[in-house]
Amino acid sequence: MTHLLVTGGAGFIGANFVHYWRQHHPDDAITVLDALTYAGNRANLDGLDGVTFIHGDIRDTELVESLLKGGIDTIVHFAAESHVDRSIHGPAAFVDTNVLGTLSLLTAAQRTWLAGSGTPHRFHHVSTDEVYGSLGPDDPAFSETTPYAPNSPYSASKAASDHLVRAWHHTYGLQVTTSNCSNNYGPYQFPEKLIPLFLINALHGRNLPIYGDGGQVRDWLHVEDHCRGIEACLLKGRVGETYNIGGGAELPNMTVIDTLCAAVDAAFRADPSLAARFPDAPAARGQPSNSLKTTVTDRPGHDRRYAIDETKARAELGYAPARSFDEGFAQTLAWYLANEGWWRAVMDGSYRDWVATNYTR
Ligand code: NAD
Ligand code: DAU
């Protein structure tokens, strides 16, 4: 049996991963360590048995060490500040959590797992394709050998954390793997990222703020495919290696937004009760959601294009995304429509009262 420490397991991808792992590896033990920042939500793990939740900070090295000494042999490291726009307005938090937090985890792992004759272990670091910078329209997609060229405080902090993980392998022999993936979407994503923000804005009749010309390209990866990719890294990845994980869905933002608007319109036509639930939506009056599209000032330093070459993950891990964007998006829209209580509580912060009562240390 494996005992996983999932850092950031109450956030978007971390929570999806905990649900995924519980379902596919029911005999493994899982401990989640999460500071419950604005992006973390204890309720994302509701309904799961056999998951121990620790409300704490990855920068608390002693806490992490004490958890690892309880028999944990695998760390899956998601905890981070993850939103590019926030990093532009407040970069220090990104260095604190993403760089110093990763250093703290590595230090605790080194002290616990490499002491004496050592303990079998794995440290899997979850990172991003943004570390490779921005592509021109005809550039080849990012491979694992593409030089690092991060452009935002967020991606710079993730790049620094990747380098620390690499160094702990080469210098101290820590058994690490790293995955660099593209833009995730799916259930439990905080409504500050493009897809959930625009979906909820469309339901409320609020503008859809498109940065610049909307021609930026991202490779969209359904979060469950990402979880399968991380599982493949843990089970089949070679220690010391990095793997790029993509969704095989390279799309300009405007295409994503048009798809989203058309899907919302279709959902209102198919289900008349939506007009009563969301009376401010243009779709409730038979108007197109794309009437809400508004061009706004571009994000400073906005990367133009990301694309993933996943040849290595396919060849070594047998990884391939299972969901097309259309299929994954339909599932995501259905989830947000069925879980209005979740996103309302996340957005108004009311879930925090419950967290404060139940989970203070
Ligand atoms: P998220 O912002 O939804 O969640 C981050 C989680 O980390 C939250 O639960 C938060 O409470 C927790 N956290 C933050 N600081 C912490 C600290 N100091 N100690 C403990 N917990 C802390 O992020 P996400 O979108 O789920 O991303 C997870 C990881 O995947 C990040 O490392 C991110 O860089 C990476 N990633 C995300 C995407 C994406 O599209 N979302 C793509 C590529 C890589
Ligand atoms: O590529 C992986 C990265 O994807 C992750 O490492 C990050 O954690 C994650 O946040 C995401 O970064 P992006 O900046 O690509 O995602 P975001 O959802 O913020 O924006 C997607 C695109 O949509 C981007 O080109 C900016 C644009 N955008 C975004 C928002 C929030 C808009 O045009 N308007 C918006 O309001």
Side-chain angles (χ1 to χ4, degrees):
M1 188 185 89
T2 291
H3 187 166
L4 276 71
L5 177 68
V6 181
T7 73
F12 162 48
I13 307 174
N16 276 283
F17 179 81
V18 173
H19 282 272
Y20 179 91
W21 201 270
R22 201 85 226 108
Q23 189 185 342
H24 292 88
H25 305 272
D27 294 335
D28 289 350
I30 301 178
T31 296
V32 168
L33 173 62
D34 199 296
L36 296 177
T37 67
Y38 79 95
N41 183 351
R42 179 65 183 82
N44 293 355
L45 301 171
D46 276 357
L48 285 174
D49 292 329
V51 174
T52 304
F53 183 81
I54 306 292
H55 183 194
D57 197 308
I58 56 169
R59 290 168 298 176
D60 184 344
T61 313
E62 284 178 15
L63 168 65
V64 178
E65 241 184 294
S66 73
L67 293 174
L68 294 183
K69 285 187 176 131
I72 286 165
D73 56 12
T74 303
I75 293 176
V76 190
H77 176 32
F78 294 95
E81 290 292 338
S82 69
H83 192 42
V84 174
D85 292 329
R86 286 179 190 258
S87 83
I88 293 167
H89 296 110
F94 286 70
V95 174
D96 278 351
T97 293
N98 301 357
V99 184
L100 299 180
T102 302
L103 171 66
S104 165
L105 287 178
L106 290 165
T107 304
Q110 178 186 2
R111 285 184 192 154
T112 313
W113 289 337
L114 300 181
S117 53
T119 315
H121 65 271
R122 173 69 70 86
F123 186 114
H124 183 77
H125 177 54
V126 179
S127 191
T128 171
D129 59 0
E130 298 200 13
V131 298
Y132 299 121
S134 183
L135 294 168
D138 300 320
D139 289 340
F142 300 133
S143 77
E144 290 78 359
T145 55
T146 302
Y148 273 35
N151 289 321
S152 71
Y154 163 71
S155 54
S157 69
K158 291 298 289 187
S161 68
D162 293 8
H163 293 323
L164 288 176
V165 171
R166 176 188 161 89
W168 255 246
H169 173 65
H170 282 268
T171 304
Y172 305 111
L174 197 70
Q175 308 286 286
V176 308
T177 40
T178 295
S179 49
N180 295 81
C181 74
S182 55
N183 284 61
N184 284 224
Y185 67 99
Y188 299 112
Q189 187 167 31
F190 192 85
E192 64 185 350
K193 308 280 165 49
L194 180 74
I195 287 181
L197 175 71
F198 278 35
L199 204 47
I200 290 167
N201 279 9
L203 296 176
H204 288 101
R206 295 187 201 123
N207 283 341
L208 309 179
I210 299 165
Y211 297 162
D213 64 2
Q216 300 81 10
V217 174
R218 299 291 184 265
D219 173 359
W220 293 94
L221 168 65
H222 189 274
V223 65
E224 195 176 317
D225 279 331
H226 184 196
C227 294
R228 291 176 42 252
I230 294 170
E231 176 189 46
C233 289
L234 287 168
L235 301 181
K236 301 182 204 159
R238 282 184 294 137
V239 165
E241 292 293 320
T242 68
Y243 296 93
N244 284 358
I245 298 176
E250 222 192 293
L251 296 169
N253 289 346
M254 205 60 97
T255 304
V256 171
I257 295 161
D258 287 336
T259 302
L260 181 151
C261 289
V264 169
D265 296 349
F268 274 71
R269 282 196 300 273
D271 178 358
S273 74
L274 290 177
R277 282 171 62 194
F278 305 107
D280 296 328
R285 301 183 298 278
Q287 304 291 312
S289 300
N290 69 16
S291 59
L292 298 170
K293 289 198 305 192
T294 310
T295 302
V296 299
T297 308
D298 207 352
R299 172 187 278 174
H302 199 169
D303 285 337
R304 191 70 185 168
R305 175 178 165 238
Y306 306 141
I308 290 264
D309 174 352
E310 59 200 22
T311 308
K312 182 177 175 184
R314 278 182 193 266
E316 288 192 19
L317 311 178
Y319 168 77
R323 277 204 168 102
S324 67
F325 181 72
D326 285 346
E327 201 186 327
F329 182 78
Q331 183 261 5
T332 303
L333 172 61
W335 189 88
Y336 277 85
L337 290 175
N339 290 278
E340 184 183 346
W342 179 88
W343 52 260
R344 285 204 187 280
V346 163
M347 292 175 84
D348 71 17
S350 58
Y351 77 94
R352 289 187 178 285
D353 302 338
W354 182 84
V355 166
T357 315
N358 292 281
Y359 286 92
T360 40
R361 277 204 304 140

